[in-house]
Amino acid sequence: MSTLSSKNSLALYGARFTSRLLLGTARYPSPQIMAEAVAVSGAEIVTVSLRREAARGRAGARFTDLISKLGCRVLPNTAGCRSARDAITTAQMARELFQTDWIKLEVIGNDDTLHPDVFGLVEAARELSKEGFKVLPYTTEDISVGEKLLAAGCEVLMPWAAPIGSSQGLANRAGLATMRAYFPGAPLIVDAGIGAPSHAAAAMEIGYDAVLLNTAVAKAGDPVRMAAAFRAAIEAGRLGYEAGLMEPRDMAEPSTPVAGTPFFDLDRAS
Amino acid sequence: MRETSELEADGLPILVNGATATTRSRTLALLIEELGLADGRIAAALNGSFVPSRDWGAARLAAGDRIEIVSPRQGG
């Protein structure tokens, strides 16, 4: 797709990326399949987490070894944090462990929907931005929350499509489109709830700058093939957006020229 | 890590990664060593606050302290 590739690269916090797919590293059948899926996806950013280390355990060392071979920028998350305080502390631990000041900020407000706690999210974003973190906040399509996050120091917003791992796709397409129109200059990444490649393509066609997903690839029947599918879908959606999509209309408009239609009888024409 | 069944007279009751424990270590650095994690790829928090690794030696433990020790993992 070299002659038909995207016009410009993805810019996040001063770094540029060719791929507009950010991929999670969890829930794969095996570490090997995860590594293969990441490679096939073309993703240049992968998300990771921090979890309790068992005494004398080596889980952390094994995983570190695995992700170091992926050749991707690592984006730690604060998954599972239910308060701004927990998220801030987790981000600080992540910065030391992963040697990056990039953080995917999650502050969860509800255990069933994993809905962002937008109040805690803004508070944590403000504090972390002051400490020099480059915050990528997992948020909703709420415009006022988006404004507060940007004012707090975030340069990127990551609204959900649907609940994490739900595979529903764009549950509020209109809301996401409104958000895109309201923040024309900010990099916007749809994060959470994606299930099918068509969902990712739809997000890109609206004009979103990238898509972050995990479960849709990891829990697919063939995660490696699905990673390839999402790569193609995101490229296609971006290309379509840059090519300029037609506006939908209610009534038909013939694509074949009307002039010269055979058997055309003006007296019978409606 | 000593389980509660191995209580010692001068043991400090603490919480490590959500589990009750008793330790003779009086600093975070010594506790991490006691847990066999001194060479591990870990980060730590004491009572909800991050403690940089360079400060582990100076971080004194007290009864009832809550310690979190984390390491890199898969995530979405």
Side-chain angles (χ1 to χ4, degrees):
Chain A
M1 291 184 82
S2 55
T3 55
L4 295 173
S5 51
S6 175
K7 280 186 208 162
N8 45 36
S9 51
L10 172 66
L12 301 172
Y13 287 107
R16 303 206 77 98
F17 305 92
T18 305
S19 171
R20 292 173 180 275
L21 168 54
L22 287 71
L23 197 54
T25 55
R27 310 192 72 188
Y28 289 84
S30 72
Q32 290 70 31
I33 289 174
M34 184 269 278
E36 219 183 314
V38 170
V40 160
S41 75
E44 293 164 290
I45 301 171
V46 292
T47 51
V48 295
S49 76
L50 299 181
R51 283 295 177 259
R52 287 168 165 170
E53 178 66 275
R56 297 179 180 84
R58 284 288 172 264
R62 279 195 300 271
F63 182 68
T64 301
D65 186 56
L66 181 69
I67 57 166
S68 68
K69 293 172 178 152
L70 297 178
C72 297
R73 172 183 286 271
V74 166
L75 175 60
N77 69 26
T78 64
C81 289
R82 262 74 174 169
S83 70
R85 178 96 300 266
D86 288 351
I88 291 164
T89 300
T90 300
Q92 292 164 336
M93 292 194 289
R95 179 158 61 178
E96 181 175 89
L97 261 181
F98 293 106
Q99 295 290 294
T100 177
D101 50 15
W102 284 46
I103 191 76
K104 173 181 162 176
L105 183 60
E106 301 180 44
V107 182
I108 301 302
N110 179 276
D111 289 345
D112 293 314
T113 62
L114 299 182
H115 192 294
D117 164 11
V118 297
F119 307 105
L121 182 67
V122 172
E123 182 189 335
R126 188 175 298 121
E127 177 60 33
L128 290 172
S129 296
K130 265 194 241 158
E131 293 180 18
F133 282 87
K134 296 175 168 59
V135 180
L136 289 83
Y138 158 65
T139 181
T140 68
E141 64 276 45
D142 188 308
I143 300 286
S144 66
V145 173
E147 285 186 315
K148 286 175 165 57
L149 288 167
L150 294 174
C154 299
E155 293 179 15
V156 177
L157 298 175
M158 302 211 297
W160 64 353
I164 295 169
S166 70
S167 200
Q168 292 177 25
L170 310 191
N172 183 6
R173 190 194 182 285
L176 288 174
T178 300
M179 194 173 202
R180 174 73 280 178
Y182 198 82
F183 299 115
L188 300 182
I189 301 174
V190 166
D191 171 26
I194 297 292
S198 54
H199 300 158
M204 299 306 293
E205 285 168 12
I206 295 174
Y208 274 74
D209 296 279
V211 176
L212 197 164
L213 56 99
N214 189 153
T215 305
V217 167
K219 299 305 269 182
D222 182 338
V224 177
R225 284 183 80 87
M226 188 58 77
F230 270 101
R231 176 183 186 154
I234 287 168
E235 285 176 3
R238 181 64 185 181
L239 211 50
Y241 170 74
E242 290 179 357
L245 290 154
M246 271 181 59
E247 285 301 314
R249 34 183 300 134
D250 293 320
M251 298 299 162
E253 184 174 47
S255 37
T256 305
V258 172
T261 305
F263 316 114
F264 181 73
D265 187 340
L266 198 59
D267 293 333
R268 283 194 296 130
S270 57
Chain B
M1 189 72 246
R2 287 177 182 73
E3 302 300 332
T4 48
S5 59
E6 297 171 346
L7 274 171
E8 304 215 3
D10 55 350
L12 211 56
I14 57 173
L15 216 60
V16 178
N17 287 349
T20 55
T22 309
T23 181
R24 294 179 69 182
S25 299
R26 289 297 180 267
T27 68
L28 190 53
L30 288 171
L31 174 66
I32 285 167
E33 212 173 289
E34 181 184 344
L35 290 167
L37 294 172
D39 296 329
R41 197 173 164 85
I42 55 166
L46 177 59
N47 296 324
S49 295
F50 167 59
V51 182
S53 54
R54 63 178 181 272
D55 295 337
W56 289 349
R60 295 204 62 80
L61 300 181
D65 275 350
R66 294 172 289 111
I67 295 103
E68 292 287 339
I69 299 172
V70 295
S71 63
R73 283 297 196 293
Q74 295 87 339

